[in-house]
Amino acid sequence: MTARRTRPAPHHEGRLTVRYIDGRRHETRAELAARHSLSPNTLSRYWAARDTNGHPPAVRIERTLHWPSREFDQWLGGLQAEGAATTQPTPKPEGMGGPAEFARICGHSTTHTVMDWVHNPPQGFPAPDHWHELPSGRKRPYWQPERMTAWAEHGRGPRGQGKGNPGRPRSQPHPYAGDPRLALARQVLAENPGATTTDLVRLMVQRYPEHYSKAAWTSILTTARQHPTEE
């Protein structure tokens, strides 16, 4: 696509000389780059690929390429939206827990052990129910709360520790033992015997002063149902 030559009358806006052709404002590559917070090199690459990306045509004014501002803005917006759609990571699953939540259920302070189980799964370790793609391209595993809790209570550790949570102190009878959130879950269950998990989670979120994920509260509810009293 060849740039069209023209010589419009300049219009002065303060210190900036703005050029109009047929009533349409035109800007140079440097002006467009500055206004859109992009580098001129990026715009040069867009222009070089104009045969395939639909880049608006340019006009040459005094040996310098100019583009119609409005058409360029619309084109760039569409290009960026299309790029965002193609690189959008998979949505984070609702109601599931990631490595951090799995680690907390198992009584670990870091996710190192959980991730080691993911990459070198011991017998019976639950495979992730979902992989969430991060903007970096890496993938993070997620599990249903009941599967995390089941492993924490009945899983077998990589060193053959037998029943019970591999890595949780033997003095801890079940996940969240002694946790005030578990006490709240038991109270809410007793007060609302017919409520759904979603309603119970909402009640606990409203009552508890600190923020925790829905997956965390769902796991705590599961434990509260399995252990309605302290043993």
Side-chain angles (χ1 to χ4, degrees), residues 146-223:
E146 59 271 16
R147 300 184 71 217
M148 294 188 291
T149 302
W151 170 257
E153 291 195 326
H154 307 296
R156 184 174 298 276
R159 295 180 181 83
Q161 293 139 311
K163 295 272 184 174
N165 169 39
R168 187 177 66 236
R170 292 184 180 275
S171 60
Q172 187 175 348
H174 54 73
Y176 303 106
D179 192 320
R181 296 174 298 174
L182 181 59
L184 174 60
R186 288 169 174 155
Q187 178 184 349
V188 169
L189 280 169
E191 294 173 352
N192 305 273
T196 65
T197 296
T198 299
D199 291 336
L200 293 171
V201 167
R202 183 170 59 251
L203 288 171
M204 291 188 293
V205 169
Q206 292 172 352
R207 294 189 189 184
Y208 204 74
E210 300 177 18
H211 173 74
Y212 291 93
S213 68
K214 291 181 180 179
W217 285 117
T218 303
S219 295
I220 294 167
L221 273 174
T222 300
T223 300

Side-chain angles (χ1 to χ4, degrees), residues 92-157:
K92 184 176 179 180
E94 285 290 333
M96 294 189 187
E101 181 58 29
F102 207 155
R104 281 193 292 269
I105 293 174
C106 292
H108 299 299
S109 59
T110 71
T111 62
H112 297 319
T113 300
V114 171
M115 293 309 297
D116 182 60
W117 290 338
V118 171
H119 298 302
N120 302 283
Q123 183 177 2
F125 181 74
D129 296 296
H130 177 84
W131 288 91
H132 173 58
E133 186 175 350
L134 303 173
S136 64
R138 296 174 55 214
K139 293 185 177 181
R140 179 176 295 159
Y142 280 82
W143 296 264
Q144 295 288 350
E146 59 271 16
R147 300 184 71 217
M148 294 188 291
T149 302
W151 170 257
E153 291 195 326
H154 307 296
R156 184 174 298 276

